[in-house]
CSV table of all heavy atoms in Angstrom, one decimal:
chain,number,residue,atom,x,y,z
A,1,ILE,N,1.8,7.6,-23.7
A,1,ILE,CA,0.8,8.7,-23.8
A,1,ILE,C,-0.6,8.2,-23.8
A,1,ILE,O,-1.5,8.8,-23.1
A,1,ILE,CB,1.1,9.5,-25.1
A,1,ILE,CG1,2.5,10.2,-25.0
A,1,ILE,CG2,0.0,10.5,-25.4
A,1,ILE,CD1,3.0,10.8,-26.3
A,2,SER,N,-0.8,7.1,-24.5
A,2,SER,CA,-2.2,6.6,-24.5
A,2,SER,C,-2.6,6.1,-23.2
A,2,SER,O,-3.8,6.3,-22.8
A,2,SER,CB,-2.3,5.4,-25.5
A,2,SER,OG,-1.5,4.3,-25.1
A,3,GLN,N,-1.7,5.5,-22.4
A,3,GLN,CA,-2.1,5.1,-21.1
A,3,GLN,C,-2.5,6.2,-20.2
A,3,GLN,O,-3.5,6.2,-19.5
A,3,GLN,CB,-0.9,4.3,-20.4
A,3,GLN,CG,-0.7,2.9,-21.0
A,3,GLN,CD,0.6,2.3,-20.6
A,3,GLN,OE1,1.5,3.0,-20.1
A,3,GLN,NE2,0.7,1.0,-20.7
A,4,CYS,N,-1.7,7.3,-20.2
A,4,CYS,CA,-2.0,8.5,-19.4
A,4,CYS,C,-3.4,9.1,-19.8
A,4,CYS,O,-4.2,9.4,-19.0
A,4,CYS,CB,-0.9,9.5,-19.6
A,4,CYS,SG,0.7,9.0,-18.9
A,5,LEU,N,-3.6,9.3,-21.1
A,5,LEU,CA,-4.8,9.9,-21.6
A,5,LEU,C,-6.0,9.0,-21.3
A,5,LEU,O,-7.1,9.5,-20.9
A,5,LEU,CB,-4.7,10.2,-23.1
A,5,LEU,CG,-3.7,11.3,-23.5
A,5,LEU,CD1,-3.7,11.4,-25.0
A,5,LEU,CD2,-4.2,12.6,-22.9
A,6,LEU,N,-5.9,7.7,-21.5
A,6,LEU,CA,-7.0,6.8,-21.3
A,6,LEU,C,-7.4,6.7,-19.8
A,6,LEU,O,-8.6,6.7,-19.5
A,6,LEU,CB,-6.6,5.4,-21.8
A,6,LEU,CG,-6.6,5.2,-23.3
A,6,LEU,CD1,-6.0,3.9,-23.7
A,6,LEU,CD2,-8.0,5.4,-23.9
A,7,MET,N,-6.4,6.8,-18.9
A,7,MET,CA,-6.8,6.8,-17.5
A,7,MET,C,-7.4,8.1,-17.1
A,7,MET,O,-8.2,8.1,-16.2
A,7,MET,CB,-5.6,6.5,-16.6
A,7,MET,CG,-5.1,5.1,-16.7
A,7,MET,SD,-6.3,3.9,-16.3
A,7,MET,CE,-6.5,4.2,-14.6
A,8,PHE,N,-7.1,9.1,-17.8
A,8,PHE,CA,-7.8,10.4,-17.6
A,8,PHE,C,-9.2,10.4,-18.1
A,8,PHE,O,-10.1,10.9,-17.4
A,8,PHE,CB,-7.0,11.5,-18.2
A,8,PHE,CG,-7.7,12.9,-18.2
A,8,PHE,CD1,-7.8,13.5,-17.0
A,8,PHE,CD2,-8.1,13.5,-19.3
A,8,PHE,CE1,-8.4,14.8,-16.9
A,8,PHE,CE2,-8.7,14.7,-19.3
A,8,PHE,CZ,-8.9,15.4,-18.1
A,9,LEU,N,-9.4,9.8,-19.3
A,9,LEU,CA,-10.7,9.9,-19.9
A,9,LEU,C,-11.7,8.8,-19.5
A,9,LEU,O,-12.9,8.9,-19.6
A,9,LEU,CB,-10.5,9.8,-21.4
A,9,LEU,CG,-9.8,11.0,-22.1
A,9,LEU,CD1,-9.5,10.6,-23.5
A,9,LEU,CD2,-10.6,12.2,-22.0
A,10,THR,N,-11.1,7.7,-18.9
A,10,THR,CA,-11.9,6.5,-18.6
A,10,THR,C,-11.9,6.2,-17.2
A,10,THR,O,-10.8,6.0,-16.6
A,10,THR,CB,-11.5,5.3,-19.5
A,10,THR,OG1,-11.4,5.7,-20.8
A,10,THR,CG2,-12.4,4.1,-19.4
A,11,ALA,N,-13.0,6.0,-16.6
A,11,ALA,CA,-13.0,5.5,-15.2
A,11,ALA,C,-13.0,4.0,-15.2
A,11,ALA,O,-13.9,3.3,-15.6
A,11,ALA,CB,-14.3,5.9,-14.5
A,12,VAL,N,-11.8,3.4,-14.9
A,12,VAL,CA,-11.6,2.0,-15.0
A,12,VAL,C,-12.1,1.3,-13.7
A,12,VAL,O,-11.7,1.6,-12.6
A,12,VAL,CB,-10.1,1.7,-15.1
A,12,VAL,CG1,-9.9,0.2,-15.2
A,12,VAL,CG2,-9.6,2.4,-16.4
A,13,ILE,N,-13.1,0.4,-13.9
A,13,ILE,CA,-13.6,-0.4,-12.7
A,13,ILE,C,-13.1,-1.8,-12.9
A,13,ILE,O,-13.4,-2.5,-13.8
A,13,ILE,CB,-15.2,-0.3,-12.7
A,13,ILE,CG1,-15.6,1.1,-12.6
A,13,ILE,CG2,-15.7,-1.2,-11.7
A,13,ILE,CD1,-17.1,1.3,-12.7
A,14,LYS,N,-12.5,-2.3,-11.8
A,14,LYS,CA,-11.9,-3.6,-11.9
A,14,LYS,C,-12.3,-4.3,-10.6
A,14,LYS,O,-11.6,-4.4,-9.6
A,14,LYS,CB,-10.4,-3.5,-11.9
A,14,LYS,CG,-9.7,-4.8,-12.0
A,14,LYS,CD,-10.0,-5.6,-13.3
A,14,LYS,CE,-9.1,-6.8,-13.4
A,14,LYS,NZ,-9.5,-7.6,-14.6
A,15,PRO,N,-13.5,-5.0,-10.6
A,15,PRO,CA,-14.0,-5.7,-9.4
A,15,PRO,C,-13.0,-6.7,-8.8
A,15,PRO,O,-12.9,-6.8,-7.6
A,15,PRO,CB,-15.3,-6.3,-9.8
A,15,PRO,CG,-15.7,-5.5,-11.1
A,15,PRO,CD,-14.4,-5.1,-11.7
A,16,SER,N,-12.4,-7.6,-9.6
A,16,SER,CA,-11.6,-8.6,-9.1
A,16,SER,C,-10.2,-8.1,-8.7
A,16,SER,O,-9.4,-8.9,-8.1
A,16,SER,CB,-11.4,-9.7,-10.1
A,16,SER,OG,-10.7,-9.2,-11.2
A,17,GLY,N,-9.9,-6.7,-9.1
A,17,GLY,CA,-8.6,-6.2,-8.7
A,17,GLY,C,-7.5,-6.8,-9.5
A,17,GLY,O,-6.3,-6.9,-9.1
A,18,GLU,N,-7.8,-7.3,-10.7
A,18,GLU,CA,-6.7,-8.0,-11.4
A,18,GLU,C,-5.7,-7.0,-11.9
A,18,GLU,O,-5.8,-5.8,-11.7
A,18,GLU,CB,-7.3,-8.7,-12.6
A,18,GLU,CG,-8.2,-9.9,-12.2
A,18,GLU,CD,-8.8,-10.6,-13.4
A,18,GLU,OE1,-8.5,-10.2,-14.5
A,18,GLU,OE2,-9.6,-11.5,-13.2
A,19,ALA,N,-4.7,-7.5,-12.6
A,19,ALA,CA,-3.5,-6.7,-13.0
A,19,ALA,C,-3.9,-5.6,-13.9
A,19,ALA,O,-4.8,-5.6,-14.7
A,19,ALA,CB,-2.5,-7.6,-13.7
A,20,ARG,N,-3.2,-4.4,-13.7
A,20,ARG,CA,-3.4,-3.3,-14.5
A,20,ARG,C,-2.1,-2.7,-15.0
A,20,ARG,O,-1.2,-2.5,-14.1
A,20,ARG,CB,-4.2,-2.2,-13.8
A,20,ARG,CG,-5.7,-2.4,-13.7
A,20,ARG,CD,-6.2,-2.2,-15.1
A,20,ARG,NE,-7.7,-2.4,-15.1
A,20,ARG,CZ,-8.3,-3.5,-15.4
A,20,ARG,NH1,-7.6,-4.6,-15.6
A,20,ARG,NH2,-9.6,-3.6,-15.5
A,21,ALA,N,-1.9,-2.5,-16.2
A,21,ALA,CA,-0.6,-2.0,-16.7
A,21,ALA,C,-0.7,-0.6,-17.1
A,21,ALA,O,0.1,0.0,-17.7
A,21,ALA,CB,-0.2,-2.8,-18.0
A,22,GLN,N,-1.9,0.1,-16.7
A,22,GLN,CA,-2.1,1.4,-17.1
A,22,GLN,C,-1.6,2.4,-15.9
A,22,GLN,O,-1.5,2.0,-14.8
A,22,GLN,CB,-3.5,1.7,-17.4
A,22,GLN,CG,-4.0,0.9,-18.6
A,22,GLN,CD,-5.4,1.1,-18.8
A,22,GLN,OE1,-6.2,0.9,-17.9
A,22,GLN,NE2,-5.8,1.5,-20.0
A,23,TYR,N,-1.5,3.6,-16.3
A,23,TYR,CA,-1.2,4.7,-15.3
A,23,TYR,C,-2.5,5.5,-15.1
A,23,TYR,O,-3.3,5.6,-16.0
A,23,TYR,CB,-0.1,5.6,-15.8
A,23,TYR,CG,1.2,4.9,-15.9
A,23,TYR,CD1,1.6,4.2,-17.0
A,23,TYR,CD2,2.1,4.9,-14.8
A,23,TYR,CE1,2.8,3.5,-17.1
A,23,TYR,CE2,3.3,4.3,-14.9
A,23,TYR,CZ,3.7,3.6,-16.1
A,23,TYR,OH,4.9,2.9,-16.1
A,24,TYR,N,-2.6,6.1,-13.9
A,24,TYR,CA,-3.7,6.9,-13.6
A,24,TYR,C,-3.3,8.4,-13.7
A,24,TYR,O,-2.3,8.8,-13.1
A,24,TYR,CB,-4.2,6.7,-12.2
A,24,TYR,CG,-5.3,7.5,-11.8
A,24,TYR,CD1,-6.6,7.2,-12.1
A,24,TYR,CD2,-5.1,8.6,-11.0
A,24,TYR,CE1,-7.7,7.9,-11.7
A,24,TYR,CE2,-6.2,9.4,-10.6
A,24,TYR,CZ,-7.5,9.0,-10.9
A,24,TYR,OH,-8.5,9.8,-10.5
A,25,TYR,N,-3.9,9.1,-14.6
A,25,TYR,CA,-3.6,10.5,-14.8
A,25,TYR,C,-4.2,11.4,-13.7
A,25,TYR,O,-5.4,11.4,-13.6
A,25,TYR,CB,-4.1,11.0,-16.2
A,25,TYR,CG,-3.7,12.4,-16.5
A,25,TYR,CD1,-2.4,12.7,-17.1
A,25,TYR,CD2,-4.5,13.5,-16.1
A,25,TYR,CE1,-2.1,14.0,-17.4
A,25,TYR,CE2,-4.2,14.8,-16.4
A,25,TYR,CZ,-3.0,15.0,-17.0
A,25,TYR,OH,-2.6,16.3,-17.3
A,26,ASP,N,-3.5,12.1,-12.9
A,26,ASP,CA,-4.0,12.9,-11.9
A,26,ASP,C,-3.9,14.4,-12.4
A,26,ASP,O,-3.1,14.7,-13.2
A,26,ASP,CB,-3.2,12.8,-10.6
A,26,ASP,CG,-3.9,13.4,-9.4
A,26,ASP,OD1,-5.1,13.5,-9.4
A,26,ASP,OD2,-3.2,13.7,-8.4
A,27,TYR,N,-4.8,15.2,-11.8
A,27,TYR,CA,-4.8,16.6,-12.2
A,27,TYR,C,-3.5,17.3,-11.9
A,27,TYR,O,-2.9,17.1,-10.8
A,27,TYR,CB,-6.0,17.3,-11.6
A,27,TYR,CG,-7.3,16.8,-12.0
A,27,TYR,CD1,-8.1,16.0,-11.2
A,27,TYR,CD2,-7.8,17.1,-13.3
A,27,TYR,CE1,-9.3,15.5,-11.7
A,27,TYR,CE2,-9.0,16.6,-13.8
A,27,TYR,CZ,-9.8,15.8,-12.9
A,27,TYR,OH,-11.0,15.4,-13.4
A,28,PHE,N,-3.1,18.2,-12.8
A,28,PHE,CA,-1.9,19.0,-12.6
A,28,PHE,C,-1.9,19.7,-11.3
A,28,PHE,O,-2.9,20.4,-11.0
A,28,PHE,CB,-1.7,19.9,-13.8
A,28,PHE,CG,-0.4,20.7,-13.7
A,28,PHE,CD1,0.8,20.2,-14.0
A,28,PHE,CD2,-0.5,22.0,-13.2
A,28,PHE,CE1,2.0,20.9,-13.9
A,28,PHE,CE2,0.7,22.8,-13.1
A,28,PHE,CZ,1.9,22.2,-13.4
A,29,GLY,N,-0.8,19.7,-10.6
A,29,GLY,CA,-0.7,20.5,-9.3
A,29,GLY,C,-0.9,19.7,-8.1
A,29,GLY,O,-0.6,20.2,-7.0
A,30,THR,N,-1.4,18.5,-8.2
A,30,THR,CA,-1.6,17.7,-7.0
A,30,THR,C,-0.3,16.9,-6.7
A,30,THR,O,0.4,16.6,-7.6
A,30,THR,CB,-2.8,16.7,-7.1
A,30,THR,OG1,-2.5,15.9,-8.2
A,30,THR,CG2,-4.1,17.5,-7.4
A,31,ASN,N,-0.2,16.5,-5.4
A,31,ASN,CA,1.0,15.8,-5.0
A,31,ASN,C,0.7,14.4,-4.5
A,31,ASN,O,-0.4,14.2,-3.9
A,31,ASN,CB,1.8,16.6,-3.9
A,31,ASN,CG,2.3,17.9,-4.4
A,31,ASN,OD1,2.8,18.0,-5.5
A,31,ASN,ND2,2.1,18.9,-3.6
């Protein structure tokens, strides 16, 4: 739950493209 909410609330910028264990929350209704 925290991963989903955090990716919704926070714009994560990762210049080196290193590993990410989070999920990106997309708006409801999109495919």
Side-chain angles (χ1 to χ4, degrees):
I1 293 170
S2 66
Q3 287 170 341
C4 295
L5 290 176
L6 287 170
M7 288 304 293
F8 172 68
L9 295 172
T10 310
V12 179
I13 297 175
K14 181 66 172 175
S16 64
E18 291 177 7
R20 279 293 182 264
Q22 293 175 310
Y23 293 86
Y24 179 82
Y25 182 89
D26 196 24
Y27 293 107
F28 178 79
T30 60
N31 296 315

